[in-house]
Amino acid sequence: MRLTLASMIATEIMEPQSSDASVLHRVSRIVSSELSLDEMLGEIVGLTAQVSGCDACLVYLVESETSEFVLRASQVPHAQDLGHLRMKMGEGITGWVAEHQSCVALATNAAADSRFKIFPALIEDTYEAFLSVPLVNKGKAIGVINVHHREPHAHSADEVATISFIGEQMGSAIAKSLLEEENARLAEETAEMKRQLETRKAVERAKGILQRRQNLTEEEAYLRMRNESRRLRRPMKDLAEAIILAEELGRKDSTGREQ
């Protein structure tokens, strides 16, 4: 049985959260759930915060079109930056971790590291301690989990291992969700191209009707349709289809009278 977000939350309330077993169980539930990608990322942020006691957690995912790593989830609200803040492979510690598929743990003065890239929009970049681990699927980095502490924080071996485990185990589930997201985007682009083509064909046919009926040039017919579309506040396709329908009805009436 696949789990929903509501059933997962109810289960988590009923059991302790501190043991390795509870982390393993929660990861298993997330992987086998019906969560959307954003919900899944929210679960990763929450689980990572639980394990590390951090003050902030950020998750970056690779964007297929650009191969850049884009901010997709955050413990601290960043509504304006989600989906926009991005780094290239090898850029900043985030890009370095993705490129090398290796963790980076900085206990204090993280911004002094030569690989660190500061984003003014991220208050987290002013924090002292920083841990970054890769999200990996089939030997390829598909994202990065970044963990921040305001004060100096020595990351224990168990902490690093647990968060790395989360990154490794969640990689396949996230990759599947990313693929579904990409397929949905491509399907919408295809549908939009089809709509645009249908609109273009309808407008061209309607222009031809106006040219014949009202002895207009192609440009004059287009301008008349555009102006009427604006006046009526209706899409050009709707207007074109109305012209085509009127033409077809007129032909049927003429045929009926002739018979």
Side-chain angles (χ1 to χ4, degrees):
M1 180 180 68
R2 293 179 68 82
L3 299 172
T4 63
L5 181 59
S7 62
M8 287 175 60
I9 292 173
T11 303
E12 288 155 16
I13 291 173
M14 297 300 294
E15 61 181 39
Q17 300 293 306
S18 57
S19 68
D20 291 340
S22 71
V23 172
L24 176 59
H25 291 161
R26 189 168 173 186
V27 169
S28 296
R29 287 197 300 272
I30 296 170
V31 170
S32 62
S33 71
E34 295 180 342
L35 300 182
S36 67
L37 178 57
D38 287 338
E39 289 173 336
M40 192 179 299
L41 295 178
E43 285 292 306
I44 293 175
V45 168
L47 181 55
T48 301
Q50 168 201 319
V51 169
S52 65
C54 65
D55 296 300
C57 176
L58 301 159
V59 180
Y60 292 80
L61 295 182
V62 69
E63 184 180 68
S64 60
E65 293 178 278
T66 63
S67 296
E68 295 178 336
F69 290 85
V70 183
L71 180 63
R72 292 293 301 267
S74 172
Q75 183 180 0
V76 177
H78 285 295
Q80 294 182 338
D81 301 306
L82 292 178
H84 300 288
L85 197 150
R86 58 186 62 224
M87 279 181 272
K88 295 180 173 63
M89 180 73 80
E91 183 181 13
I93 292 180
T94 299
W96 189 95
V97 167
E99 183 176 30
H100 294 85
Q101 296 185 28
S102 180
C103 299
V104 170
L106 303 170
T108 186
N109 199 17
D113 188 283
S114 60
R115 296 165 294 185
F116 200 94
K117 178 174 181 178
I118 295 177
F119 288 94
L122 298 180
I123 186 65
E124 295 89 338
D125 284 353
T126 65
Y127 293 177
E128 282 285 327
F130 181 63
L131 171 64
S132 185
V133 303
L135 284 162
V136 180
N137 179 60
K138 296 181 179 179
K140 181 180 179 181
I142 61 167
V144 177
I145 303 173
N146 289 342
V147 181
H148 301 261
H149 287 81
R150 288 191 184 89
E151 302 300 327
H153 174 80
H155 305 94
S156 69
D158 285 346
E159 179 185 341
V160 175
T162 301
I163 297 175
S164 297
F165 171 79
I166 293 171
E168 292 167 1
Q169 297 302 309
M170 293 301 303
S172 60
I174 290 174
K176 180 182 177 182
S177 292
L178 282 172
L179 180 59
E180 292 173 351
E181 187 179 75
E182 177 65 9
N183 288 341
R185 184 186 66 81
L186 291 174
E188 177 56 32
E189 286 184 357
T190 301
E192 178 59 26
M193 290 175 63
K194 184 179 179 180
R195 287 192 292 268
Q196 290 179 3
L197 179 59
E198 290 174 349
T199 296
R200 190 174 299 116
K201 289 170 65 176
V203 169
E204 288 298 318
R205 187 177 173 188
K207 281 196 306 183
I209 293 171
L210 290 179
Q211 287 177 254
R212 291 193 307 273
R213 290 284 186 178
Q214 301 184 22
N215 194 29
L216 301 174
T217 66
E218 181 178 358
E219 183 178 4
E220 288 172 339
Y222 174 78
L223 290 175
R224 181 166 295 185
M225 288 181 63
R226 186 192 67 182
N227 293 338
E228 192 67 8
S229 172
R230 290 175 177 175
R231 186 183 70 81
L232 297 174
R233 296 182 179 179
R234 301 287 295 176
M236 284 279 281
K237 184 182 179 184
D238 289 358
L239 184 62
E241 289 175 342
I243 293 171
I244 294 168
L245 179 60
E247 173 74 3
E248 291 175 346
L249 291 175
R251 287 178 180 175
K252 288 181 180 179
D253 288 344
S254 298
T255 302
R257 286 194 295 270
E258 290 174 0
Q259 292 175 345

